[in-house]
Amino acid sequence: MKSYLRNGMVVAAALAVSAGAEAATVVQTFTETFSLTATPTGALPQINTSWNVPQYNGFGGLTSLTGVSYDLSTQILYRGVVVAIGTGASTAFNLQVRSDFYFDLPTSTADVTALDPTILLNPTSGLSGVQFNVPGTPSIDSIAASAPNSATRIATDLATYVGSGAVAVPVTGSLLTSALGGYHNNSSDGPLTPFVFVDHAKIFPMFGMQEFSLVATMVVTYTVPEPGTWGAAGALALLAGAKLISRLRAKRLRAEALKGMGIQLQQV
C-alpha cells in the first residue's frame, strides 16, 4: 500500500511539472462578415451566429489549462451617395452611421454589450442638385471604416473549457436606426434611409444608394504548457507505473519463493 502511495505522488508531481512549465498558447480565431451591401433595397445588414469553441483536451486536462482569454473586435464599413438641395457648393455637414453588437460569453464571463462602433464623417457637398459620393476620397470607390473597437475578457471557470466537445458563443450585430440629436435620415426622393443620418436640413442620403458592411471577430487563447513538458510529464507517469509493476512483480516472485520453502506471508 505504501508503495502505491509513493508512486501516486510521482504522478501528481508530473502533472505539477506540466502545469508550472513555460506556457504556450492554443489560439482559435473566429470571424463573421456581412459583405458590403446596399440597403434597404438589398439584404438587411446583420450578424446572427453562434461560434463553437473547441474545448481543451490536452495532457493533464484541467490541471494543465491555466488560462482562457477572449479578444473581441467589431467594425462597420460604409459608402453612399448624398445630394444637396438648395445649398451652395462645398457646404459642410456631418454624417453618422451607428451599430450594436453583442457577445454572449459562457457562464460567469462578463458579456460584451458596449462594443458598438460608429462612423462619423465630416464631408462637404457638391453643387446643388448634383449627387456626390461619401466618403468620396481618394476615389469614388473609397469606403469609410469605423475606428478600431476592441475588448478583452478573462474566463475564470476553466472547467467549462476542458473536454472533447465545444463551448458555444452567440454573437449578434446590426445597424441602428437612430442617431444623436440634430440628425435626420430624410431622402430627396421620398423614403427615409434607415441607417444613415446627416445634420444639415438641405442635405439628403439617397434612398437605396447606401452600402454597409459589418464585421465581428473573436480570438480565444488557451494558456497551456509547452508541448515538450507534456512528454516529460507523461514519461514521469510511465516511469512511476513501471516502478510499481516492477515492485509488485518482485514481491510476487519473493512470495512464491518463500512459499516453496514452506513459509507463508501474512497480509498487512
Side-chain angles (χ1 to χ4, degrees), residues 107-243:
T107 60
S108 61
T109 307
D111 296 336
V112 175
T113 61
L115 201 58
D116 303 327
T118 295
I119 288 176
L120 180 60
L121 301 176
N122 314 104
T124 56
S125 71
L127 296 173
S128 179
V130 177
Q131 298 175 12
F132 60 97
N133 298 279
V134 177
T137 57
S139 71
I140 62 173
D141 294 324
S142 63
I143 299 173
S146 61
N149 208 348
S150 60
T152 297
R153 293 288 187 271
I154 305 299
T156 57
D157 52 337
L158 299 184
T160 300
Y161 301 91
V162 174
S164 56
V167 180
V169 180
V171 180
T172 59
S174 60
L175 295 176
L176 292 178
T177 57
S178 62
L180 301 176
Y183 284 74
H184 74 85
N185 63 339
N186 298 323
S187 173
S188 64
D189 54 3
L192 302 177
T193 53
F195 308 119
V196 179
F197 298 84
V198 296
D199 66 348
H200 195 292
K202 295 184 178 182
I203 296 178
F204 307 93
M206 299 295 293
F207 179 81
M209 301 178 72
Q210 315 300 314
E211 297 178 283
F212 311 90
S213 175
L214 299 169
V215 182
T217 300
M218 178 176 76
V219 179
V220 183
T221 302
Y222 290 167
T223 303
V224 298
E226 286 285 357
T229 64
W230 300 354
L236 285 174
L238 290 174
L239 178 61
K243 286 183 177 180

Side-chain angles (χ1 to χ4, degrees), residues 35-76:
S35 300
L36 195 68
T37 304
T39 191
T41 55
L44 182 68
Q46 62 180 353
I47 289 174
N48 188 0
T49 189
S50 183
W51 289 327
N52 292 316
V53 183
Q55 292 176 308
Y56 172 71
N57 62 352
F59 180 84
L62 184 58
T63 307
S64 61
L65 179 63
T66 58
V68 176
S69 66
Y70 291 90
D71 292 294
L72 310 166
S73 64
T74 60
Q75 191 175 38
I76 55 175

